[in-house]
Amino acid sequence: MSKEESAGLLARLLRGELPDAHGRFGPFGGRYAPETLVPALERLGVGAHRFLRDAQFAADLGRELRDWVGRPTPLTPAPRLGRSWGAEVYLKREDLAHTGAHKINNALGQALLARRLGARRVIAETGAGQHGVATAAACARVGIPCVVYMGAVDVRRQAPNVDRMHQLGAKVVAVESGDQTLRAAIDEAFRDWVSDPEGSYYLLGSAVGPHPYPWLVRELQSVIGREAREQFLQMTGGLPDAAFACVGGGSNSIGLFHPFLGDATVALIGVEAGGRGSGLGEHSATLGRGTPGVLHGSFSLLLQDAEGQVQETHSISAGLDYPGVGPEHSLLQAIGRVRYVPATDDEALEALHECCAAEGILPALESAHAFAGARRWARENPGKRILIGLSGRGDKDMPTLSRVFSGDSAPASHH
């Protein structure tokens, strides 16, 4: 892609012209869905555009985000980490949002939307469990039943979150097919939706899937970046030199990055799961090592073999263990506005330990990847101001961490 084409696409993104009428972010995105779902996706697109611009809906969502979720979440200086890295470090604390991660912003927004659209029940999928917990809580708050699909491997490694979903009134279905992780859970949730597209609302948890989901999830998660930008200006009098967020499907990172896209001085760096090696099946670094293709209704980068078969992935972090990524991220990489780098399982664990010891904060394993990427960058760029999206708290990862640090087994792997 030429410099002129890249600049043109970024300008269209900043003007709100992407995704276009076909759900495309430049060459990526779109809607690759079974015919039976097309009317439901079109209804959702029309309804989402209508309600997200409706003053009463915005007021209801804003009130619930403040009174129930606890927004705005704080921006916390991390001085001891900063001294260690030779940088000024600030953390956007989505771990302090209700239910413990950024997922609640999107779940609450879509649950309110489902009620407005007259859905009788909500279907959702989850990997690390945070989206499932957020959906269960949001549906309880809004008063609509929900079913959460979760890979059987993830059910085992995220047991505390499964218990929380049950307590919040959700039905959790363990998916035994396929790779038994997030990818299989999404497949199964789509299958359920195809069987009842009229009465069910599919509450997708990341900035992936057929149009309008990547756009809808980005709009609901951009509250993270809007708050962080304003808080950073108030606290420091300027903008960060660089902002970091972990990238699995990409909802937390697109939420943090989007409001900074027009700030050319702010380097935006997404950190993917480098897992335990560079071979297919050893990592989940979709943007770094993927190739274009269609997965879960959208054209984006994905991890596939030479025959186009989607490959299994590995990450110590269940929330990053996914072979695809949101189409807006693929565009942002293609036009050079966001750089994507990997962090290995070991680097993430080391960064998690360091954050615990230096700042008294236990980040989620997903977020620890962002810390690992930020630490590496800080040492190459001394004296800079760094913003890190702390997407969730690490309590849910205690079974994995206990196993790893007790030497009981290798980092939680299903392959």
Side-chain angles (χ1 to χ4, degrees):
M1 195 177 292
S2 70
K3 276 188 177 175
E4 290 73 22
E5 287 172 320
S6 296
L9 284 165
L10 179 59
R12 290 184 66 195
L13 196 58
L14 292 173
R15 288 197 299 267
E17 295 171 7
L18 299 180
D20 63 18
H22 303 290
R24 291 269 175 182
F25 295 88
F28 301 104
R31 178 185 290 162
Y32 298 82
E35 281 299 314
T36 47
L37 288 183
V38 170
L41 288 164
E42 287 179 349
R43 271 200 309 278
L44 173 60
V46 170
H49 275 97
R50 176 184 160 205
F51 285 114
L52 261 59
R53 294 187 175 105
D54 177 74
Q56 187 58 53
F57 183 85
D60 291 348
L61 176 59
R63 186 184 62 249
E64 288 294 86
L65 285 172
R66 183 191 67 220
D67 297 343
W68 185 68
V69 172
R71 303 207 73 87
T73 57
L75 182 72
T76 303
R80 297 189 68 212
L81 271 186
R83 278 196 293 279
S84 169
W85 297 357
E88 276 183 56
V89 180
Y90 299 83
L91 311 177
K92 181 56 177 166
R93 302 292 304 280
E94 293 303 292
D95 59 319
L96 295 181
H98 178 49
T99 69
H102 73 289
K103 293 290 187 184
I104 195 67
N105 308 318
N106 171 56
L108 174 64
Q110 287 202 53
L112 288 170
L113 190 57
R115 192 173 65 182
R116 292 286 207 287
L117 295 174
R120 291 189 296 274
R121 67 173 192 141
V122 161
I123 302 162
E125 90 301 321
T126 193
Q130 287 302 106
H131 172 58
V133 169
T135 301
C139 287
R141 177 73 174 179
V142 168
I144 190 167
C146 80
V147 179
V148 179
Y149 290 92
M150 190 170 186
V153 166
D154 292 335
V155 166
R156 288 193 287 279
R157 62 179 171 177
Q158 300 290 338
N161 272 342
V162 176
D163 291 340
R164 291 170 76 196
M165 284 184 264
H166 284 142
Q167 291 299 324
L168 290 164
K171 178 184 176 188
V172 181
V173 178
V175 179
E176 303 281 353
S177 59
D179 63 0
Q180 302 184 22
T181 65
L182 179 59
R183 175 181 154 205
I186 294 178
D187 286 341
E188 203 59 35
F190 267 111
R191 209 165 286 139
D192 184 332
W193 196 25
V194 167
S195 72
D196 180 27
E198 296 287 328
S200 300
Y201 181 97
Y202 181 23
L203 204 162
L204 193 55
S206 194
V208 300
H211 180 65
Y213 283 109
W215 163 80
L216 173 59
V217 174
R218 177 249 278 171
E219 289 295 293
L220 293 170
Q221 291 292 8
S222 290
V223 66
I224 304 170
R226 287 196 302 273
E227 284 179 9
R229 194 176 182 285
E230 185 181 333
Q231 290 167 325
F232 212 97
L233 282 167
Q234 285 178 353
M235 195 174 282
T236 72
L239 292 172
D241 294 301
F244 292 81
C246 59
V247 185
S251 66
N252 148 70
S253 42
I254 204 67
L256 182 70
F257 292 162
H258 198 77
F260 288 99
L261 290 179
D263 299 312
T265 60
V266 182
L268 301 174
I269 300 164
V271 186
E272 298 191 286
R276 59 194 169 200
S278 58
L280 271 177
E282 297 292 307
H283 61 84
S284 308
T286 311
L287 288 151
R289 298 185 177 276
T291 52
V294 172
L295 179 66
H296 295 137
S298 177
F299 182 74
S300 188
L301 293 177
L302 57 103
L303 293 168
Q304 56 190 332
D305 64 16
E307 280 74 48
Q309 296 296 312
V310 178
Q311 296 297 292
E312 295 190 347
T313 53
H314 164 80
S315 172
I316 192 172
S317 158
L320 303 183
D321 202 353
Y322 180 61
V325 69
E328 192 167 355
H329 285 291
S330 293
L331 172 67
L332 290 170
Q333 175 170 261
I335 65 176
R337 180 61 190 97
V338 180
R339 192 158 64 90
Y340 296 88
V341 299
T344 65
D345 287 351
D346 288 344
E347 288 174 316
L349 286 166
E350 194 180 330
L352 179 144
H353 248 321
E354 190 180 16
C355 182
C356 287
E359 301 294 343
I361 296 170
L362 172 61
L365 277 167
E366 288 82 357
S367 318
H369 286 72
F371 281 79
R375 180 174 61 173
R376 200 188 307 143
W377 188 88
R379 289 180 173 163
E380 295 163 358
N381 299 273
K384 301 293 188 182
R385 288 198 292 213
I386 291 175
L387 169 66
I388 301 175
L390 207 181
S391 58
R393 66 181 189 229
D395 309 38
K396 68 179 178 60
D397 295 315
M398 283 315 299
T400 299
L401 295 173
S402 298
R403 277 199 305 277
V404 172
F405 292 124
S406 69
D408 182 33
S409 69
S413 168
H414 51 281
H415 305 300

